[in-house]
Amino acid sequence: MKLETFLDLLRMAGGYQPAKIFLTAVDLDLFKHLETERSAADLAAQLGLQPRALEILLNALVAMGLLHAKEGLYCNSELAQAWLNENEAYRGNIFKHLHHCWGAWNDLESVLRHGHQSTSMEQTVLTDSESWNHVFISAMDDVTREL
């Protein structure tokens, strides 16, 4: 991507926003619960989330084309249904893994200043958490399945 204008710089700098919305939705397994139409309040109650905050997130996912909305009900788009719903084609683990790596990227300035991360992400991701280990192994399967 070649940056040529201030608007290009602005779009690049704000690129974390849609990524964070998407990765948070994957981490919360929202797409697995939206195979059929659901209200934000119903989904929030099931998942233990704040209804208004979830509604804002769901509307952002609609704007991104990952969900459809009609009369206050939300459901997966075709893309989300194909790859992010609980089925044999599910590829959400690679996105969960990328979200786990988010913290390491947040520490980039510290790495540049001190020559190392403030905490060892490898230890956290690969040894301290069984669920992260599962996500990592499943993520590697997600990306190699089609090779």
Side-chain angles (χ1 to χ4, degrees), residues 127-147:
T127 61
D128 290 350
S129 173
E130 187 174 324
S131 65
W132 281 32
N133 284 336
H134 174 74
V135 166
F136 176 78
I137 292 166
S138 298
M140 296 306 102
D141 182 60
D142 283 356
V143 296
T144 60
R145 206 178 305 174
E146 303 300 320
L147 299 178

Side-chain angles (χ1 to χ4, degrees), residues 32 35 80-91 145:
K32 293 180 182 181
E35 185 173 12
Q81 188 64 28
W83 300 105
L84 302 170
N85 189 25
E86 192 69 48
N87 60 45
E88 61 194 37
Y90 178 73
R91 297 296 195 279
R145 206 178 305 174

Side-chain angles (χ1 to χ4, degrees), residues 91-117:
R91 297 296 195 279
N93 287 305
I94 188 57
F95 302 115
K96 288 181 179 187
H97 170 65
L98 292 172
H99 202 196
H100 289 167
C101 295
W102 191 282
W105 285 100
N106 280 342
D107 208 20
L108 181 58
E109 184 177 345
S110 177
V111 170
L112 293 169
R113 291 188 184 284
H114 307 289
H116 57 82
Q117 291 179 289

Side-chain angles (χ1 to χ4, degrees), residues 15-41:
Y16 71 91
Q17 295 164 333
K20 189 64 172 177
I21 290 165
F22 170 67
L23 295 172
T24 299
V26 171
D27 266 0
L28 292 171
D29 291 324
L30 293 183
F31 302 104
K32 293 180 182 181
H33 297 280
L34 290 168
E35 185 173 12
T36 59
E37 293 180 332
R38 307 268 307 269
S39 71

